[in-house]
Structure formats: structure tokens, C-alpha cells
Amino acid sequence: MQETKQKNYVTIKGTRDGLTLFIDDRCSFTDACRELVDKLSVNIVQKDEPVVPVTVKLGNRFIYEDQKKQLEEIITKDNHFTVQSLDSNVILRDEALAFLDDTEVKVITRIVRSGQVLEIKGDLLLIGDVNPGGKVVSTGNIYIMGSLHGVAHAGVNGDRNAIIAASYMNPSQLRIADHISRAPDYESDGVYMECGLIDDEKDKIVIDRIQVLAHKRKSLNRFERRLING
């Protein structure tokens, strides 16, 4: 297999995992496809060699489903290559709004009483208590600036990296993704915030001081880090 130099619009780079195609986002889609056909014809794989996976980097170019299909047909022609992924920096407005909704921290001030359920899409910052028999549910993380005596379920859609934090941690049940835990075996003194998170090595929910998140959950956003660090 031979690597080619960039002519105009398409750059092909070989990696241990296959090929990566960089398509210039400033040219027309037609011109990019034309050059892609020419360059792939040079990178021929022999019949006795395994099929090569290809990752396509589109930059700031949005492509529609029919264009994705066209790219896949060009790349997989003659069965020399297979498309592993088509990566673009651009998404539709509706997708962007849905992403923001999923990642936004929702700030709510209230007490969740017995029999009440508070469900949130994204991260939840609750300024108030969750009483025994109350329940809070979030697709993301849960932060409670108060006492947690009821049930808290973070990462409800399967996010194992979600965490639950509370000023006073005494839950009847903690749930993160599909993991379930009960209250800690000791009585919290309420001096410092605690958090529950999945320990991958132990494959269970553990409760620790909230400061451990700076090391164990480095993906937390700036707001969440300010909350943790005070």
C-alpha cells in the first residue's frame, strides 16, 4: 500500500489502525469526491491482504445522508476498504440544541418531599433537601446543596461516569447507570460534601469526599469544578 501526497483537497495518511482521510472543507463536495476516487485508486490493497479500515475527517463540513452514502460507496468500492467512521465538526441545529440540553446544569431550588420525583435532562444542581421517600433522577450528574435522605439516580440513560454529590449523604438508595448502592455504613457529620461514583476496579458505587473528583472525573466542566473546589 502506498501513501500519496496531497494534491489539493484530500490527504491520505496511513496509521497502525488503517487509513485516515482528511477532506478539505473549503472545496466542493463534487471536487472532493473526484480527487478521492483518484487517490484511492493509487492505494490499492492486494487481494490476499485484509480489508483496511478508513476514518474520514471532514473538518467543518456538514454532509447529508446521501453524501455519506456516496463517500462510503467510493471508499468501499472493490472491497479494499471499509468505512470505520465519518467525523465532522458540524452538526445540525436540532442536534446541537439537544446536546446543550443534555449537558446544561439545571439549577433548581426546592425540597423534594416523600412521594415526589424530580427528573432532569442534563446535570442537576438541587439547592435543597431530598427527604426520605423523595427521588431525584438525572441523565447526567447530581449535585445536592443540602441533605440527601431519599433516592438519587444519576446517569439514568447509562452514563457510568456520572456522579452524585451531597452536602449530607444519607441516601436510602444511590443509583448510577445500572449500578445500585445503599447508604454509607457510617454516619456523615455534614462537615464536608461527599460523592458517590462508580469505581471501575471494584465495579460498584463507592462514596468518598467530593475532592476525589478532581482526579477521578477530570471531564467535569468548569462550573462543576468550581462547585467542587468551593
Side-chain angles (χ1 to χ4, degrees):
M1 187 165 54
Q2 171 183 349
E3 183 178 64
T4 63
K5 293 183 178 180
Q6 180 181 11
K7 289 181 180 178
N8 293 304
Y9 309 129
V10 179
T11 303
I12 301 179
K13 291 187 178 180
T15 69
R16 292 181 180 179
D17 300 322
L19 288 181
T20 300
L21 308 183
F22 298 88
I23 298 180
D24 193 323
D25 53 29
R26 294 167 295 181
C27 68
S28 71
F29 182 76
T30 300
D31 288 340
C33 288
R34 185 181 298 114
E35 186 171 318
L36 181 58
V37 170
D38 293 339
K39 290 197 170 182
L40 287 180
S41 66
V42 177
N43 289 268
I44 296 298
V45 178
Q46 299 300 320
K47 289 184 178 180
D48 57 345
E49 293 185 26
V51 175
V52 177
V54 175
T55 298
V56 183
K57 300 289 186 179
L58 298 164
N60 296 324
R61 178 194 298 273
F62 178 81
I63 60 172
Y64 296 93
E65 287 302 320
D66 60 328
Q67 293 175 320
K68 289 181 181 179
K69 185 176 180 181
Q70 186 176 345
L71 280 177
E72 290 172 350
E73 289 175 350
I74 292 172
I75 294 170
T76 59
K77 184 181 180 181
D78 299 325
N79 298 319
H80 296 310
F81 307 104
T82 182
V83 178
Q84 186 167 271
S85 65
L86 295 168
D87 301 335
S88 172
N89 298 333
V90 182
I91 60 176
L92 292 173
R93 180 176 180 274
D94 289 345
E95 294 174 328
L97 291 175
F99 174 78
L100 289 174
D101 192 36
D102 284 338
T103 57
E104 181 185 1
V105 178
K106 311 298 195 308
V107 182
I108 296 179
T109 302
R110 60 171 286 190
I111 295 175
V112 181
R113 304 184 187 281
S114 179
Q116 296 179 336
V117 179
L118 174 61
E119 295 188 58
I120 292 297
K121 195 173 184 181
D123 292 348
L124 167 64
L125 171 58
L126 176 66
I127 302 174
D129 298 333
V130 181
N131 289 349
K135 184 177 182 179
V136 288
V137 180
S138 173
T139 60
N141 304 309
I142 294 175
Y143 305 95
I144 299 172
M145 303 294 288
S147 299
L148 172 57
H149 295 289
V151 177
H153 189 176
V156 68
N157 291 338
D159 183 3
R160 289 172 50 90
N161 290 317
I163 65 102
I164 299 168
S167 300
Y168 183 83
M169 182 76 78
N170 186 36
S172 58
Q173 185 185 88
L174 289 183
R175 299 187 66 177
I176 299 176
D178 57 352
H179 284 59
I180 302 176
S181 178
R182 57 182 177 80
D185 295 328
Y186 58 88
E187 182 72 16
S188 175
D189 55 16
V191 173
Y192 53 82
M193 293 187 71
E194 292 181 308
C195 64
L197 68 160
I198 294 177
D199 186 314
D200 289 324
E201 293 183 0
K202 299 178 180 178
D203 195 33
K204 68 176 185 178
I205 297 175
V206 297
I207 296 176
D208 206 333
R209 297 188 64 169
I210 198 171
Q211 284 81 2
V212 304
L213 296 178
H215 305 287
K216 295 187 177 181
R217 292 293 185 270
K218 295 182 179 180
S219 61
L220 295 177
N221 65 35
R222 292 180 182 177
F223 173 85
E224 292 160 332
R225 287 187 175 276
R226 288 200 301 271
L227 178 66
I228 292 168
N229 296 327

